[in-house]
């Protein structure tokens, strides 16, 4: 089967001279990869082989960057945002985004918000549109992965919330279901190598585009 993935990473921010999410994502943007699902995760899915075409961009770490993906959601089969979690030692699949900005440091535009809503008319919490139970089951034995309920309150969370809000408000779908969207927080490559993180990312993308 074929699938179109909207994939994003972020530019460096704060004290970071480089951002691993950019280093992970940028090399596969505007490329097509055929991924064979792991045998355990391929059970009862549409196809064990997925030809994935990756479009997307490296986002600036500011309000404008948090909005850039919205206009691209209608022409893809899934959305995966990737960002750095500087305190994590594992890859974190984020299950929800909170309707609040509470920045510990300024973003790259100099904006530093404390306790403001992302959207005053929005729900307090929006959940990923991927199938949570399926993802949890498929990746349960991966020691490098954890399921997270806290995407933080910085631009990563803001980006995720705006994407999920747009999917909900515009009723965007893929294969008769809500357009799959998820945020993946990654650690530095000293904790989980770039090769392992890329394999996890591709396995995730190939899984969430399946019709369950």
């Amino acid at each position: 089967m074929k699938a179109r993935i909207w994939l994003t990473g972020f530019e460096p921010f704060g004290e970071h001279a480089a951002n691993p999410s950019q280093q992970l994502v940028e090399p596969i943007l505007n490329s097509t990869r055929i991924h064979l699902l792991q045998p355990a995760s391929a059970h009862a899915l549409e196809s064990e082989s997925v030809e994935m075409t990756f479009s997307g961009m490296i986002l600036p770490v500011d309000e404008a960057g948090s909005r850039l993906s919205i206009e691209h959601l209608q022409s893809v089969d899934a959305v995966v945002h990737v960002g750095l979690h500087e305190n994590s030692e594992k890859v974190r699949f984020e299950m929800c985004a909170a309707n609040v900005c509470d920045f510990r440091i300024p973003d790259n535009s100099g904006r530093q918000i404390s306790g403001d809503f992302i959207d005053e008319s929005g729900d307090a919490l929006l959940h990923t549109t991927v199938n949570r139970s399926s993802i949890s089951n498929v990746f349960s034995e991966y020691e490098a992965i954890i399921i997270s309920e806290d995407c933080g309150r910085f631009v990563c969370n803001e980006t995720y919330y705006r994407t999920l809000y747009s999917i909900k408000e515009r009723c965007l779908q893929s294969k008769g279901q809500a357009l799959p969207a998820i945020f993946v927080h990654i650690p530095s490559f000293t904790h989980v190598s770039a090769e392992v993180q890329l394999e996890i990312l591709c396995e995730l993308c190939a899984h969430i585009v399946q019709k369950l």
Side-chain angles (χ1 to χ4, degrees), residues 15-202:
E15 297 179 351
H16 299 282
N19 191 322
S21 71
Q22 179 176 9
Q23 295 170 316
L24 183 67
V25 166
E26 202 163 45
I28 62 173
L29 291 180
N30 303 312
S31 73
T32 298
R33 302 170 69 96
I34 296 176
H35 184 81
L36 296 176
L37 285 161
Q38 296 296 320
S41 66
H43 177 66
L45 298 180
E46 284 184 90
S47 176
E48 296 180 8
S49 175
V50 184
E51 181 181 310
M52 299 180 292
T53 299
F54 293 98
S55 59
M57 61 178 65
I58 303 304
L59 303 173
V61 184
D62 55 25
E63 181 179 0
S66 76
R67 298 177 181 273
L68 282 175
S69 294
I70 293 173
E71 63 188 79
H72 300 278
L73 302 180
Q74 288 183 300
S75 58
V76 296
D77 301 303
V79 180
V80 180
H81 295 304
V82 183
L84 170 66
H85 193 298
E86 55 191 350
N87 297 318
S88 183
E89 296 182 2
K90 296 187 177 185
V91 175
R92 300 162 62 98
F93 291 168
E94 302 293 353
M95 294 294 102
C96 53
N99 187 12
V100 62
C101 286
D102 197 3
F103 295 177
R104 178 179 56 84
I105 61 173
D107 69 10
N108 286 3
S109 71
R111 182 181 58 137
Q112 188 166 7
I113 300 175
S114 179
D116 284 359
F117 291 118
I118 297 170
D119 191 302
E120 291 188 359
S121 65
D123 295 333
L125 204 66
L126 291 176
H127 294 273
T128 179
T129 46
V130 307
N131 186 299
R132 175 175 179 151
S133 61
S134 176
I135 292 298
S136 297
N137 290 336
V138 167
F139 292 96
S140 61
E141 297 185 4
Y142 283 65
E143 292 186 2
I145 297 171
I146 59 174
I147 302 298
S148 169
E149 306 287 348
D150 185 0
C151 196
R153 300 294 183 268
F154 196 48
V155 178
C156 290
N157 174 73
E158 182 181 11
T159 301
Y160 195 17
Y161 188 90
R162 292 194 191 283
T163 292
L164 293 174
Y165 184 83
S166 183
I167 290 170
K168 179 182 177 183
E169 291 300 301
R170 296 157 65 189
C171 299
L172 298 178
Q173 295 191 336
S174 176
K175 300 181 180 179
Q177 306 170 117
L179 178 66
I182 190 169
F183 197 103
V184 180
H185 261 134
I186 64 171
S188 72
F189 297 138
T190 59
H191 294 299
V192 181
S193 71
E195 292 76 16
V196 170
Q197 292 198 35
L198 180 59
E199 177 63 24
I200 289 171
L201 182 62
C202 289

